[in-house]
Each structure stands twice: as structure tokens, then as C-alpha cells.
Amino acid sequence: MYDTFVFDLDGTLLDTLGDLAAAVNFALRTHGMPEHSVDDVRRFVGNGVRRLMERAVPDGEQNPLFEEALTTFRRYYLEHSMDTTRPYEGIPEMLAGLKQRGKRLAVVSNKFQTATEELCRHFFPDTIEVAIGENEAAGIRKKPAPDTVFEALRRLGYPLTTRLSPLTSEKAVYVGDSDVDILTARNSGLPCISVLWGFRDRDFLLSHGATTLIASPEELL
């Protein structure tokens, strides 16, 4: 049905929660702040690194050590982003199957650009063609703005007249695990498939407008 699949990364293709929690707690510990459980971090993720740390650091951006903690997080995570991170079961096979069928595959993430590219290169070198991460310095707003999706589609050859034009093609679909992904798909004019193996459960996704849910990667084939 679809020719192009645009995937979220964390919680959709990769289980990154352990490494994210370790980086958050390293930054907090380094700057004398209380640490969080993995379940806490699960609730914090989804809106980019800065928002993650705003939720993790006491008083968020108002904390005088916030920027230092954020810098520590970024540095540590870049060095430890693959310590425990792995694809969810069935993901490599699903991507390979879509690729064999001639589908175009991209990743858009609120993870910063360098980490997004490195993780996709490491885990999906033969399947993911385009990987777009957070890069607002380049004028590409993070999700749920449609910018990263439109940039990925542009690089895949879609004839978008401008980066922010509504997408009229019905050949692409967005796949993600969160409320941010549902909004991103809506803002991009794409249908959304919400996955149930990620960081949010069925009730949460339905309460945030999910319409199509899948329980295993093979359902995309």
C-alpha cells in the first residue's frame, strides 16, 4: 500500500531507554542532583534532549546548573549511546523485508543529529536511507513540527514545493510510538501507525488520538 516508511527511532526501531537513563543519571550525579528511575526517564523522553533534561533536572531550565548538566548529558550519551541499545525483536527483519519489496525507508528523530546518524549507521546500514535528527540550528524544527519529516521526504526525492508545504502524496506513512509521533504525522499530512512495543502503552496512545496500532514489526510487511 505504501511506498515510503518514515520511522521514529527511540521506542520504535531501537530500545534506547537504558542508555538514555544512564546518561541522564550520570549528568545528574555529576552535578549533585537526585537521580531518576528508568520508568521516570521513560516518561520524560519523546520531545528531544533539552526537554528530557528539563524534566529530569530539579526546576528545569531555572536551575543554575541546567546548561552544564545538559552539556554533560550530551557528551556522555555520545560516548555511551550503544552500551545497551538494541533493535527491538523483529525490527531488522522487518526493515530488510520492506527494503526487498522496494520500499523507501527513513528515520526522523528528536535525538540530536550526530547520535541519530551514528545509531542508524551502526544498526541499519543497509536499510535506512535517510536519518534526520534534531538540528534547529539548520532551521529544521524538531517534532511535532513537520520539518524533519519533510526534509526526509525531500531527500528521498518527493516533489515538495517548499519544506513546509502540505504533503499531498498518499504513498508515505509515519510509524512511531508516542503522542509526539501522532502529532508529527498529523502535522505532516501523513497517516500514522502507532507501535505497542515502545515507550507508551495502548491506552496512552488511544487517548492521544492513535487510530492504527500494531503489536509486532511483522505487521508492517
Side-chain angles (χ1 to χ4, degrees), residues 129-188:
E129 300 175 59
V130 173
I132 308 292
E134 181 181 346
N135 189 6
E136 294 194 9
I140 300 175
R141 296 171 298 168
K142 68 181 181 180
K143 302 184 293 184
D147 299 30
T148 51
V149 174
F150 286 169
E151 178 64 13
L153 292 170
R154 185 190 67 77
R155 294 189 191 184
L156 290 175
Y158 274 73
L160 302 175
T161 55
T162 68
R163 180 166 51 83
L164 297 178
S165 295
L167 182 68
T168 57
S169 172
E170 297 179 354
K171 296 182 178 180
V173 64
Y174 186 96
V175 184
D177 76 305
S178 73
D179 54 324
V180 173
D181 294 316
I182 293 167
L183 280 173
T184 301
R186 186 179 304 156
N187 292 338
S188 304

Side-chain angles (χ1 to χ4, degrees):
M1 179 178 180
Y2 300 112
D3 293 335
T4 300
F5 290 76
V6 180
F7 293 95
D8 172 55
L9 188 60
D10 296 48
T12 300
L13 298 182
L14 293 177
D15 184 356
T16 56
L17 188 58
D19 287 334
L20 287 169
V24 166
N25 284 329
F26 178 83
L28 296 175
R29 188 165 60 248
T30 297
H31 297 284
M33 302 173 188
E35 299 180 34
H36 289 284
S37 70
V38 173
D39 280 341
D40 286 341
V41 176
R42 181 193 301 274
R43 292 191 294 272
F44 296 162
V45 298
N47 295 88
V49 169
R50 189 173 191 88
R51 187 67 175 133
L52 166 61
M53 292 303 290
E54 285 175 12
R55 292 165 172 161
V57 170
D59 299 322
E61 288 186 313
Q62 302 307 311
N63 191 307
L65 295 177
F66 175 79
E67 295 296 339
E68 293 178 45
L70 176 60
T71 298
T72 301
F73 170 90
R74 287 178 179 272
R75 185 183 305 117
Y76 182 92
Y77 186 72
L78 280 174
E79 295 174 357
H80 297 274
S81 64
M82 299 181 203
D83 287 0
T84 63
T85 289
R86 297 291 182 273
Y88 288 101
E89 184 176 357
I91 290 295
E93 294 81 2
M94 176 270 292
L95 293 176
L98 290 174
K99 192 74 172 179
Q100 289 168 4
R101 290 165 170 78
K103 309 302 183 182
R104 309 296 300 279
L105 309 178
V107 158
V108 296
S109 176
N110 275 346
K111 188 186 296 295
F112 42 101
Q113 181 68 34
T114 303
T116 300
E117 290 176 338
E118 287 183 355
L119 287 167
C120 287
R121 250 193 324 264
H122 180 79
F123 289 108
F124 314 118
D126 301 319
T127 49
I128 297 299
E129 300 175 59
V130 173
I132 308 292
E134 181 181 346
N135 189 6
E136 294 194 9
I140 300 175
R141 296 171 298 168
K142 68 181 181 180
K143 302 184 293 184
D147 299 30
T148 51
V149 174
F150 286 169
E151 178 64 13
L153 292 170
R154 185 190 67 77
R155 294 189 191 184
L156 290 175
Y158 274 73
L160 302 175
T161 55
T162 68
R163 180 166 51 83
L164 297 178
S165 295
L167 182 68
T168 57
S169 172
E170 297 179 354
K171 296 182 178 180
V173 64
Y174 186 96
V175 184
D177 76 305
S178 73
D179 54 324
V180 173
D181 294 316
I182 293 167
L183 280 173
T184 301
R186 186 179 304 156
N187 292 338
S188 304
L190 294 180
C192 184
I193 297 174
S194 299
V195 308
L196 294 174
W197 56 80
F199 297 163
R200 304 289 187 263
D201 61 23
R202 178 186 295 270
D203 289 343
F204 180 93
L205 292 169
L206 289 173
S207 71
H208 285 82
T211 56
T212 303
L213 300 99
I214 60 172
S216 67
E218 65 185 14
E219 294 181 55
L220 288 174
L221 294 172

